[in-house]
Amino acid sequence: MNLLQQAWLALTDVLNPHGPAANSVNSYAPSDFSIHFFLQLTVIILTCRAVGWLARRYLKQPQVVGEMIAGVLLGPSLLGLFLPGVQDAIFPKDTRNVLYVGAQLGVGLYMFMVGLTLRLDHFKSKAKSAAAVSAAGILAPFLLAIPLAPVLMGVAGLFTPGISQANATLFLGACIALTAFPMLARIINENGLANSSLGTLALTAGAFDDATSWCVLAIVLATFGAGAGVAVIAIGGAVLYGGFMLLFGRRLLAPLGEAVERKGEMSMQVLAITMMLFCLSAFLMDAIGIHAIFGGFLMGVCMPRGRFVEELKQKVEPIAVVLLLPMFFTYSGLNTRMDMVNSVSLLLIALVVLLVSILAKFGACYAAARLTGEDNRTALGIGALMNSRGLMELIIINIGLQKGIIGPTLFSMLVLMAIITTVMATPLFEAVYGRKARRDGALDADGGQRLAAV
């Protein structure tokens, strides 16, 4: 079977079942899923708002970091550890597939809203810096993964026995190269950076780094039995669709903006068309093997600006931020265990993984920004933002665990790396950039409260 035939089979297999959905022990009726879903939403919203408030009040962290921690607290690391019966009653395994769909809708819709605020004029003016930061954020992790992967392969239980050194290196490099794109977007929004050149530069570089990491993951999965067609569809599809949208998207979508300008408000018809296009874009990127969030983000980038954006943000953003997005954090937290790194030697290995990850992202992105003409403070701010891994890391390592690439112990080490680099992002950013920028009037002093108050 040649490569094109494999690609065609992979494409036509998108809508086929790939189960089993879960290791079911009970037979749930539709009403059972509904009852659990609304209870889960109640617990998720309450926990995320409460922990988010505590994180802002006492730890000076943005709401999003509190929500990330809340997701882990609702999982086996805390609630499942001390009250396993309660966790099983609220989040039975059979119902998590419904929660997964809500999580994808929430994070995809939020990234669609982030795309709406991307300043293309800032991107054009910072294209050289964005390209350099993005390239550094990709090359450095893979270069450092080359000596690190063989070391980790020599420790039993980290990588799956039989994995090749090339695949281990590629997977580890992809994990280190990831930037927490959804969380980066919220940190930028909550710090009043959405319309700044620094925010646009970091978002653009982060988006490209994450897309590259997903393409590398597709290549690794192809060698694990999924077939080369998976990689062809993922990379080729992303290039074709992304190129088409960036070249023709804004022109094709302009009538939506004109309709809103003429009427002075967004009609239900325009809103329906907009949501349909968002869902279609998310489906296409999900179907080819990248991720729905990139489809949402790309569609948002190409949408009309002006009153269209103002109307859409008023109608959609509060629901996306308060109701839907917390499901994303909780679903990932339900798959996270923090009790797997349980010896001194494993803690030391986890520390090495953490230090290499910080050097590869913070250090490399800072150096690239400086070499392209950014001042020292701005370069440090970019490095601090790009170093955050967040739950995008949890997504990719969950795939690695499920597909038999890594073992539970390395999974837990990478979870620790994701949490620490995310928690350190905001205080580090404030220390190297935020405080002085606010004193100088270059950063909105109230920016950190806008989404937090939604």
Side-chain angles (χ1 to χ4, degrees), residues 169-186:
T169 301
L170 286 174
F171 182 79
L172 185 61
C175 291
I176 297 174
L178 274 175
T179 290
F181 194 33
M183 302 193 73
L184 172 65
R186 287 204 68 179

Side-chain angles (χ1 to χ4, degrees), residues 121-428:
D121 56 334
H122 282 165
F123 171 65
K124 291 175 183 176
S125 66
K126 294 288 184 179
K128 181 180 177 182
S129 296
V133 169
S134 179
I138 294 169
L139 292 176
F142 284 99
L143 289 175
L144 289 176
I146 292 174
L148 181 60
V151 175
L152 299 183
M153 290 178 69
V155 180
L158 297 188
F159 280 102
T160 301
I163 187 174
S164 70
Q165 184 172 326
N167 281 331
T169 301
L170 286 174
F171 182 79
L172 185 61
C175 291
I176 297 174
L178 274 175
T179 290
F181 194 33
M183 302 193 73
L184 172 65
R186 287 204 68 179
I187 290 171
I188 286 173
N189 274 315
E190 292 183 10
N191 281 280
L193 291 166
N195 292 319
S196 70
S197 59
L198 184 149
T200 300
L201 192 159
L203 270 179
T204 305
F208 189 78
D209 284 5
D210 280 11
T212 302
S213 293
W214 285 107
C215 290
V216 170
L217 178 63
I219 295 172
V220 174
L221 292 177
T223 65
F224 269 74
V230 172
V232 171
I233 292 297
I235 299 172
V239 171
L240 289 175
Y241 180 64
F244 174 82
M245 289 299 295
L246 293 175
L247 288 173
F248 305 109
R250 303 202 77 174
R251 191 181 311 165
L252 293 173
L253 297 171
L256 294 175
E258 294 168 1
V260 173
E261 295 292 343
R262 282 196 305 269
K263 194 171 183 180
E265 62 179 3
M266 179 175 287
S267 66
M268 291 296 105
Q269 185 75 5
V270 171
L271 179 61
I273 294 172
T274 302
M275 291 295 97
M276 179 192 68
L277 291 171
F278 152 72
C279 290
L280 178 61
S281 186
F283 160 74
L284 289 173
M285 293 300 277
D286 221 0
I288 65 176
I290 302 297
H291 200 281
I293 65 169
F294 295 105
F297 178 73
L298 188 58
M299 183 59 68
V301 168
C302 297
M303 280 289 169
R305 295 306 195 253
R307 191 168 185 84
F308 179 92
V309 173
E310 297 173 9
E311 289 284 314
L312 192 59
K313 286 173 71 70
Q314 289 179 6
K315 294 178 183 298
V316 176
E317 188 173 72
I319 294 297
V321 170
V322 176
L323 179 65
L324 299 177
L325 190 59
M327 283 190 281
F328 172 74
F329 297 104
T330 301
Y331 180 82
S332 296
L334 290 172
N335 293 303
T336 302
R337 294 187 62 97
M338 302 301 294
D339 58 348
M340 297 297 294
V341 184
N342 52 14
S343 70
V344 174
S345 60
L346 290 177
L347 282 172
L348 289 175
I349 294 172
L351 181 61
V352 170
V353 171
L354 173 64
L355 293 176
V356 168
S357 300
I358 293 173
L359 177 63
K361 288 297 282 190
F362 177 83
C365 293
Y366 162 77
R370 286 291 287 153
L371 289 173
T372 54
E374 299 294 336
D375 63 82
N376 188 60
R377 189 160 57 89
T378 299
L380 286 170
I382 291 168
L385 292 173
M386 292 292 291
N387 188 51
S388 173
R389 296 321 192 287
L391 290 173
M392 285 299 289
E393 184 77 18
L394 298 187
I395 292 173
I396 198 170
I397 62 179
N398 268 290
I399 293 173
L401 185 66
Q402 293 162 8
K403 298 295 184 180
I405 299 172
I406 60 174
T409 306
L410 181 55
F411 175 86
S412 300
M413 291 178 182
L414 293 171
V415 168
L416 285 172
M417 182 268 284
I419 291 177
I420 292 172
T421 56
T422 303
V423 169
M424 68 185 285
T426 295
L428 183 59

